[in-house]
Amino acid sequence: MKSSAMPITTESARVGQTRGPMERIYHIHEAVSDGRLPNCSTLAAELEVTAKTIQRDINFMRDRLKLPLEYDELAHGFRYTADVSTFPVFEVGAEELAGLFLARQALESVRGTQLEQTMREVFGKLTRSMEGRVKFAWGDLDRAFSRKPGGVTKTDLKLFGKLAEAVMAGREVEFGYRKLGGERTETRRLQPYHLGEVDHCWYLIGHDLDRSSLRTFAFPRIRALKVRKERFTVPKDFDGPAYLGTSFGIWTDPERPDFKREVRIELSGYAARLAQERRWHPSQQITMLNGAGSRVEVRFEVGRLEELVRWTLSWGSQAKVREPMELKDRVAAEAAKIQKG
């Protein structure tokens, strides 16, 4: 009689070393999804459990998770009889649920791009770590939560990857760039220091070699990127988040990158209520001007004022600029232009 190729191991011998039930189920799901046609014996050997344990897992997947699992007698293995693109269920805590939902939203945002498969693999690793907890279906999440980000720009993922590598490796880059008010594309040579996302758009910050100063570039306007061989070292005193912190949005004075001034704006009515619920800038401070909270003063410390002109006008008559006078004049001038049509 031939001996079995699979070693005989009791359940008790595996106590403390076997994988959790959900981790086993994920393994089975992947094996079936990959078209490997696994059976109880092969899966038991891979997961170091008994064939009876695998059969219980298979029954759970079929009966409780409602997965279309079927045993193929001719191929001697399990297969799916219908498409199973995402695993159906999880149980998580409140913080994990929020993180999981946002991660899935990120996955949806790259659907149809070359990054989709990579993101799916990363997401799969994330969800597999939540072994042994089964509670809700993805459909329940989609019905309960949604996001509607406004003004989202399309990001070239290949460009993002090349720039991220250049930043991490400290290598100079060269690209074509057309400024918002520019009439033509110019060649820029840069030592890339930092990548930052502001208002759903990615920006590159670095030392412009031709202008000898720090400059900021919006991803959608970068063309024909080349990563050069020349290397550089980011100055120790450069802090990307701090650099972005001097602007209300993204615009920073390249000649005075550390310059800040205090801005004071009075908001009333619904604007005052919203100001108490939201944070638009790290330096934001709110002072109540009446007991009802229907009048507040919002203070910021920023450099350039262009983005604050737009922000102030967005509140209409609910906003009044107190300081500085330059901002008050700019808002008034812009409002006059709007009124003229």
Side-chain angles (χ1 to χ4, degrees), residues 42 124 203 226 266 294 338:
T42 58
Y203 294 87
K226 296 179 181 178
E266 180 181 330
S294 59
I338 294 172

Side-chain angles (χ1 to χ4, degrees), residues 216-243:
T216 303
F217 303 89
F219 269 41
R221 297 196 291 277
I222 294 176
R223 297 287 184 272
L225 174 71
K226 296 179 181 178
V227 179
R228 300 164 59 92
K229 295 181 180 180
E230 292 83 354
R231 295 185 177 273
F232 67 93
T233 301
V234 178
K236 292 182 179 180
D237 60 350
F238 175 78
D239 185 324
Y243 179 82

Side-chain angles (χ1 to χ4, degrees), residues 108-126:
E108 292 299 314
S109 69
V110 297
R111 184 179 296 278
T113 70
Q114 60 186 8
L115 194 60
E116 179 181 4
Q117 185 56 39
T118 300
M119 287 287 287
R120 285 198 178 279
E121 292 174 1
V122 171
F123 188 76
K125 291 178 181 178
L126 173 67

